[in-house]
């Protein structure tokens, strides 16, 4: 034991570090150039938006692991206002500002 850490925990840490190292260095280890198929390259353009939606959507419609059951939730109105602004002006900064301008008064002022 090393400072209260058992050998199993150390083995898991070393194993995860090894897997991380191999996966990150995979393209340097290969001896020939390797490229993605065109369909995969096109699909990667959507990955950041999909990841962002996967993080934000549950935060908007869920609380404490359950779907919200009331319309008295400031997140809903902030998301709707931000979405409307984005489709109107196509600006990301404005989307965040409008969403927060709606969310904060409802959350802080009304306690939603």
């Amino acid at each position: 034991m090393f400072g209260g850490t058992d050998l199993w925990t150390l083995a898991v840490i070393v194993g995860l570090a090894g897997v991380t190292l191999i996966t990150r260095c995979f393209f340097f280890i290969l001896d020939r150039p390797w490229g993605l198929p065109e369909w995969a390259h096109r699909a990667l353009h959507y990955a950041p938006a999909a990841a962002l939606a996967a993080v934000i959507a549950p935060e908007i419609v869920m609380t404490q692991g359950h779907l919200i059951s009331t319309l008295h939730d400031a997140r809903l109105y902030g998301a709707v206002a931000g979405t409307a602004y984005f489709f109107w002006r196509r600006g990301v900064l404005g989307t965040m500002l409008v969403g927060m301008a709606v969310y904060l008064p409802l959350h802080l002022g009304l306690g939603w």
Side-chain angles (χ1 to χ4, degrees):
M1 303 237 192
F2 299 98
T5 303
D6 62 356
L7 289 177
W8 177 250
T9 303
L10 289 176
V12 169
I13 291 171
V14 170
L16 288 172
V19 168
T20 301
L21 181 69
I22 289 170
T23 56
R24 290 182 183 248
C25 295
F26 180 73
F27 297 105
F28 298 121
I29 296 171
L30 294 177
D31 59 347
R32 60 183 174 87
W34 185 81
L36 288 173
E38 184 57 33
W39 61 268
H41 189 66
R42 279 193 319 269
L44 283 176
H45 289 289
Y46 299 102
L52 186 61
V55 170
I56 291 177
E59 194 62 34
I60 293 171
V61 299
M62 296 180 77
T63 183
Q64 306 269 334
H66 301 292
L67 288 174
I68 57 172
S69 59
T70 178
L71 292 177
H72 292 279
D73 195 318
R75 296 174 296 180
L76 291 174
Y77 298 101
V80 168
T83 302
Y85 180 86
F86 179 79
F87 283 113
W88 176 50
R89 302 291 293 198
R90 299 283 184 197
V92 176
L93 179 60
T95 299
M96 291 188 287
L97 292 175
V98 167
M100 289 305 292
V102 171
Y103 169 79
L104 283 176
L106 292 175
H107 183 69
L108 297 176
L110 298 178
W112 288 6

